Amino acid sequence: MSAKGPGLFSDIGKQAKDLLNKDYGTDQKFTVTSYSASGIALNSTVVKKGGLFSGDIVSQHKHKNTTVDVKISTESEVSTTFTVADILPSTRTIASIKLPDYQSGKLEVQYFHIHTSLSTAITLSQSPAFDFSATIGTPSIVFGAEASFSTNFRKFVKYNAGVSLTKPSSSASVFLANKGDSLRASYLHYLKQLNGGAVVGEVNRRFSTNENTLTVGFSYIVDSNTTVKAKLNNHGNLGALLLHQVTPKAFLTVSSAFDTKALEKEPKFGLSLNLKP
């Protein structure tokens, strides 16, 4: 599969989206990742959300061009995903199902080319839905669109479009989503003053409600083991995050959320510890 193509539609604007959203949370999470001699990766997670505990165990086995992921949760759900690369040249095929919901089966085929990427998926149910996405361009400039057609309603239930421009030190993207009802634009720029960190700005416009949301954020690399992130929007929601590698095999994430327009409310805190013995 080509690594020099435009990537999938879901990759458009991913850098800005990750800086503003990835690793933020208000739950307490403990994760242990281990690897067996046969090459099986085992990931065990326990999450405390409010006063409730939940957990899951995820195993991943890779053999040649095939990857099998199995996830078992405390809600008695078993999710299985098969990923096979290059059944046909430059393709990736993904089959998934979540038991006991036999209607949750899904089959997806992705195709990668130096100037375009395509993805099509079908849900394996009595009233299947078809998802399509396509991008065209280069690693520097990408145009893309996605749509979802429901055979149950016999109409398109989703269609979005986007464009992105990527340079070594910056990236910008614009999305038209929610059937044309919302517009999202973002810009990210890497700065030497932040030791390789970045600043990002994002504007969301909802036409039907005449609502605008402006979010700004940054990441600062303190040292090779520590990164600090923060974000603030025009509604007064402030988030802060600390990522720290305690040891070569232990990673700590501490996050917080504040409502600056209601300081009488208690702030929310999240804690995540990931061990990789």
Side-chain angles (χ1 to χ4, degrees):
M1 288 179 291
S2 175
K4 298 181 180 180
L8 296 173
F9 182 82
S10 57
D11 295 329
I12 296 179
K14 187 176 185 300
Q15 292 174 316
K17 182 169 60 177
D18 284 350
L19 197 155
L20 289 175
N21 298 289
K22 188 177 180 181
D23 297 316
Y24 282 97
T26 56
D27 304 328
Q28 285 72 53
K29 182 167 68 173
F30 177 71
T31 304
V32 178
T33 303
S34 58
Y35 302 88
S36 68
S38 59
I40 297 178
L42 193 64
N43 189 298
S44 304
T45 302
V46 177
V47 179
K48 180 183 179 183
K49 187 173 184 178
L52 301 176
F53 286 89
S54 63
D56 58 62
I57 298 176
V58 180
S59 65
Q60 183 181 83
H61 180 67
K62 295 182 179 181
H63 178 69
K64 295 183 179 180
N65 62 340
T66 303
T67 302
V68 180
D69 295 274
V70 179
K71 178 180 178 180
I72 304 174
S73 72
T74 54
E75 285 76 25
S76 300
E77 291 181 342
V78 179
S79 304
T80 305
T81 303
F82 296 89
T83 304
V84 184
D86 294 322
I87 293 180
L88 296 174
S90 302
T91 65
R92 180 164 57 206
T93 304
I94 304 170
S96 63
I97 189 170
K98 181 184 292 185
L99 300 176
D101 182 7
Y102 293 94
Q103 299 291 315
S104 63
K106 186 175 183 180
L107 179 64
E108 180 179 3
V109 178
Q110 301 171 349
Y111 172 74
F112 300 89
H113 185 267
I114 191 170
H115 290 306
T116 187
S117 295
L118 304 172
S119 175
T120 180
I122 179 175
T123 57
L124 306 179
S125 61
Q126 293 180 348
S127 300
F130 295 89
D131 297 327
F132 313 91
S133 70
T135 58
I136 185 171
T138 68
S140 299
I141 183 168
V142 179
F143 299 89
E146 67 174 356
S148 180
F149 181 82
S150 171
T151 58
N152 187 28
F153 298 103
R154 297 182 180 180
K155 66 178 181 179
F156 285 97
V157 294
K158 178 180 73 173
Y159 40 86
N160 305 321
V163 58
S164 71
L165 178 64
T166 303
K167 296 182 178 181
S169 61
S170 63
S171 65
S173 63
V174 178
F175 282 92
L176 189 63
N178 295 321
K179 300 180 181 180
D181 185 48
S182 63
L183 180 70
R184 184 175 85 246
S186 64
Y187 177 76
L188 178 145
H189 193 89
Y190 293 98
L191 295 174
K192 293 182 179 179
Q193 296 89 330
L194 298 177
N195 295 334
V199 294
V200 62
E202 180 183 85
V203 177
N204 279 278
R205 166 75 173 176
R206 191 68 179 260
F207 298 108
S208 60
T209 60
N210 200 30
E211 181 182 3
N212 296 307
T213 301
L214 170 64
T215 307
V216 294
F218 77 92
S219 65
Y220 174 65
I221 301 176
V222 181
D223 54 42
S224 59
N225 298 323
T226 308
T227 300
V228 175
K229 294 170 60 177
K231 62 179 180 178
L232 175 68
N233 67 21
N234 61 313
H235 301 298
N237 298 317
L238 172 66
L241 175 70
L242 171 68
L243 297 166
H244 182 64
Q245 184 176 349
V246 183
T247 70
K249 296 182 178 181
F251 303 84
L252 177 67
T253 304
V254 181
S255 59
S256 59
F258 305 85
D259 186 348
T260 61
K261 295 185 178 180
L263 296 178
E264 69 278 4
K265 294 183 179 180
E266 292 186 1
K268 298 179 180 180
F269 293 94
L271 178 66
S272 174
L273 179 62
N274 190 348
L275 303 181
K276 298 182 178 181

